[in-house]
Amino acid sequence: MRLDKYLCHTLELSRRDVHRLLADKKITVNNQICMRKDTVINEEKDRIAYEGRELLYRFFHYIMLNKPQGVVCAVRDSKFPTINQIIGDHKNLHPIGRLDKDTEGLVIMTNNGSLTHALTNPNKDVAKTYLVHLKSPIEEDYSAQLEKGLDLYDGKGKPYRSKPAKLIRLEADKCLVEITEGKYHQVKKMFLKLGNEVIYLKRLAIGSICLDDKLEVGQFRSLTDQEINQLKGIG
Ligand code: URA
């Protein structure tokens, strides 16, 4: 692998920043200063150090973001701020499952495309937990209706029956909902079908990975090794 590519991945920096580090003689390969970005290294064997600190190779990155309302799950958008702007364009990460612009909460982002593919496979039944605030009080029969499944339309107007979902009532008009699909506007559509309206939606968990309650809205952090293993366990 080329040294600059290795450094971009390991240090989570842009190519331009990496080239500056090399020009500033901050990088050594096997204890020798290396300034050539096209040096080919063996990431398993060569010892690469930044300012004397040896680097551990990580090709894949995983972060959790507490997405604010008003931000779209896209790399670029002509009208609205994007999640990639929040985390910095250079990281080249994509979300594992999107949230609507007005939905807040947990978005996991990675450059591990095959894991994303596995986790977003509709047959995979990965549980997603949402905090839901409703316009009107929750009715007695909501749990049973969600459990039974509702007849809805997907983003392409194709009818489908939603898979069994769970509802836990928190207050008269607030609940937790767990779904195992990720269809277009699904939670909002489920409550519309029940004659109610979602006025606030926040994703709290994907599988066993919970949104870190220390992350303010708009903040993000890398997943811990344990969380990465949990994520791979789901996939
Ligand atoms: N369901 C919705 O309606 N919107 C989301 O953003 C996620 C789930």
Side-chain angles (χ1 to χ4, degrees):
M1 179 187 301
R2 269 176 61 133
L3 179 60
D4 55 354
K5 187 172 178 194
Y6 171 94
L7 292 169
C8 286
H9 278 289
T10 309
L11 296 171
E12 298 187 28
L13 290 175
S14 67
R15 226 158 241 240
R16 188 179 329 128
D17 289 341
V18 160
H19 293 169
R20 193 168 311 123
L21 291 185
L22 289 162
D24 290 346
K25 301 186 179 172
K26 298 261 171 74
I27 304 296
T28 55
V29 176
N30 301 325
N31 294 324
Q32 303 291 319
I33 289 175
C34 183
M35 296 174 71
R36 289 192 61 119
K37 59 187 180 195
D38 59 354
T39 303
V40 175
I41 54 130
N42 179 333
E43 62 274 14
E44 309 291 337
K45 291 202 184 117
D46 289 324
R47 281 176 295 117
I48 321 294
Y50 166 44
E51 291 187 323
R53 272 178 296 117
E54 201 165 314
L55 300 174
L56 273 180
Y57 182 55
R58 265 187 194 238
F59 187 79
F60 291 126
H61 294 282
Y62 306 87
I63 64 168
M64 72 159 65
L65 163 69
N66 187 355
K67 183 184 108 50
Q69 290 181 328
V71 173
V72 290
C73 284
V75 177
R76 259 170 240 101
D77 192 273
S78 57
K79 283 206 207 119
F80 302 105
T82 70
I83 50 171
N84 283 76
Q85 283 167 335
I86 295 182
I87 63 152
D89 276 346
H90 57 272
K91 283 187 191 150
N92 206 19
L93 307 186
H94 58 261
I96 303 179
R98 292 162 197 278
L99 290 179
D100 296 338
K101 177 161 75 69
D102 55 357
T103 303
E104 210 173 277
L106 177 63
V107 177
I108 297 177
M109 298 180 74
T110 184
N111 55 344
N112 186 342
S114 54
L115 185 62
T116 304
H117 190 70
L119 288 169
T120 52
N121 179 333
N123 299 323
K124 194 75 199 175
D125 285 354
V126 177
K128 270 91 52 179
T129 309
Y130 293 87
L131 170 65
V132 187
H133 294 191
L134 294 163
K135 192 167 178 184
S136 312
I138 296 160
E139 309 242 335
E140 279 281 307
D141 64 334
Y142 282 10
S143 271
Q145 297 246 43
L146 289 184
E147 181 62 43
K148 202 168 88 195
L150 296 162
D151 291 321
L152 302 171
Y153 291 92
D154 70 11
K156 293 183 181 128
K158 206 170 137 219
Y160 73 100
R161 163 71 58 112
S162 60
K163 289 185 181 171
K166 290 193 193 113
L167 181 146
I168 299 172
R169 191 174 175 281
L170 300 175
E171 289 176 37
D173 54 358
K174 295 186 180 63
C175 58
L176 295 176
V177 167
E178 186 188 284
I179 58 173
T180 58
E181 300 161 289
K183 304 255 198 232
Y184 187 61
H185 296 335
Q186 184 167 346
V187 175
K188 290 176 196 154
K189 285 184 175 179
M190 289 193 314
F191 284 99
L192 275 179
K193 185 81 187 184
L194 294 170
N196 209 323
E197 195 184 324
V198 172
I199 54 170
Y200 172 78
L201 190 59
K202 177 175 186 172
R203 183 154 66 194
L204 300 179
I206 299 175
S208 57
I209 301 172
C210 298
L211 179 65
D212 185 335
D213 57 12
K214 288 191 246 9
L215 279 185
E216 302 280 344
V217 174
Q219 290 186 329
F220 61 95
R221 67 157 170 81
S222 295
L223 291 194
T224 62
D225 287 344
Q226 190 188 342
E227 286 166 338
I228 295 169
N229 286 336
Q230 281 171 253
L231 196 65
K232 289 182 178 164
I234 310 169

